[in-house]
Amino acid sequence: MKVLVIGGGAREHALCRSLSLDPDVTALHCAPGNAGIADVAELHRVDALDGPAVAGLAADLAADLVVVGPEAPLVAGVADAVRARGIPVFGPSAEAARLEGSKAFAKDVMAAANVPTARSYVCTTPEEIDEALDAFGAPYVVKDDGLAAGKGVVVTDDLEMARRHARACERVVIEEFLDGPEVSLFAVTDGQTVVPLQPAQDFKRAYDADQGPNTGGMGAYSPLPWADPKLADEVLETVLQPTVDELHRRGTPFSGLLYAGLAITSRGVRVIEFNARFGDPETQVVLARLKTPLSGLLYAAATGSLATFPPLRWSDGAAVTVVIASHNYPGTPRTGDPIEGLEDAARQDEHAYVLHAGTKRGASGEVLSAGGRVLSVTATGPDLSTARTRAYGVVSHIHLADSHHRTDIAAAAAES
């Protein structure tokens, strides 16, 4: 089949890489893509938020499947525009994507579906904000109601910091702090059948030992040796299927990738948030372990035929991703710096590879930084320790001026 992927980050590079290795994919396109994706897919210029333009491109390419990667196009209704042209698309409607686009909407759905989550208040005035912060106490958890590229959440013991963030948001969700480790669990769904993928864990803080500000994610690993082997089954039963069923009941079926951000608390599994698309950088490690060809899975979800899709096959090994970020990320990043050592890095280890996130080609063909998170180095191995060693071995060959990366991705899990 001919596949068009929308987006231009490391998540889309991971999707394109997996699709490029799929024998059923005869042509692979990406819009707008990046310097790394250009090696595995034909790139096209398009405004990813322009539904009619994306649908027109898909029609011109005679695409059999469109995969929408980022959240903003989904919330903007790009998947709806593609579906209106009769083209199968992997990604929820704008109405269903509100599960990520509005934290308040997600809380309402969870309440109706009896999904376990943190107690919360939706606030729009300074008085409501102060009352909610006082009710829960520290640590304060403050979430911008809308999309914020993974950086709209503040968790702090500092009341003034929490208050400032809350008041800067037009609408904000303030909720109780959930103790325990966090887990990301993706599920592919066609609006009725739900197929969970393997769980992963990402690292949101910018620096080692979970220090520094929240980012979009600085690394990830899978599997989770410390987690209950039945975790995915439990989350399917208590979180994923009830949520999909509730959205179907409301007349807004969710078809695509449902991402549950979870806390494994002393009181059991609780949902921190939902996303309406593959997460970055967890996608990099989950797809690295998926042995089932990706195109067939995504097409089954897009065409309502997941119920008859064969069980997924996974590698027994592990995968680790380390993100290399620009100077000053997650603040305003410096861009336009040359990235050196990519060819050398590619030759280092057959079990490791570099996925591009914020990159572009310069006038002379050189690869330059073009965003906050610039590269994701992903490696596989028989265990987490080996995968870690391989990933960091490749990272050491890449040079980007004043860049930073965490050195402790999967370190504790590899020792467990």
Side-chain angles (χ1 to χ4, degrees), residues 136-158:
F136 287 128
Y140 305 101
V141 181
V142 184
K143 299 180 176 181
D144 191 334
D145 181 51
L147 293 180
K151 290 172 283 188
V153 179
V154 164
V155 181
T156 179
D157 289 322
D158 186 329

Side-chain angles (χ1 to χ4, degrees), residues 263-277:
I264 313 301
T265 77
S266 55
R267 295 172 291 148
V269 174
R270 296 289 186 272
V271 175
I272 299 171
E273 65 176 355
F274 282 126
N275 290 330
R277 40 69 192 180

Side-chain angles (χ1 to χ4, degrees), residues 84-109:
R85 296 288 291 266
I87 302 169
V89 57
F90 183 80
S93 66
E95 188 67 22
R98 289 180 65 207
L99 205 59
E100 176 169 3
S102 169
K103 301 289 191 298
F105 175 76
K107 288 290 188 181
D108 183 63
V109 170

Side-chain angles (χ1 to χ4, degrees), residues 47-133:
D47 180 353
L49 297 176
D50 187 335
V54 172
L57 174 62
D60 291 344
L61 295 172
D64 300 298
L65 174 67
V66 175
V67 180
V68 183
E71 60 273 25
L74 292 169
V75 172
V78 168
D80 302 89
V82 175
R83 282 195 187 91
R85 296 288 291 266
I87 302 169
V89 57
F90 183 80
S93 66
E95 188 67 22
R98 289 180 65 207
L99 205 59
E100 176 169 3
S102 169
K103 301 289 191 298
F105 175 76
K107 288 290 188 181
D108 183 63
V109 170
M110 283 188 271
N114 291 314
V115 169
T117 186
R119 293 180 298 119
S120 64
Y121 294 105
V122 179
C123 306
T124 57
T125 69
E127 293 76 21
E128 290 174 345
I129 288 168
D130 288 342
E131 288 177 13
L133 292 172

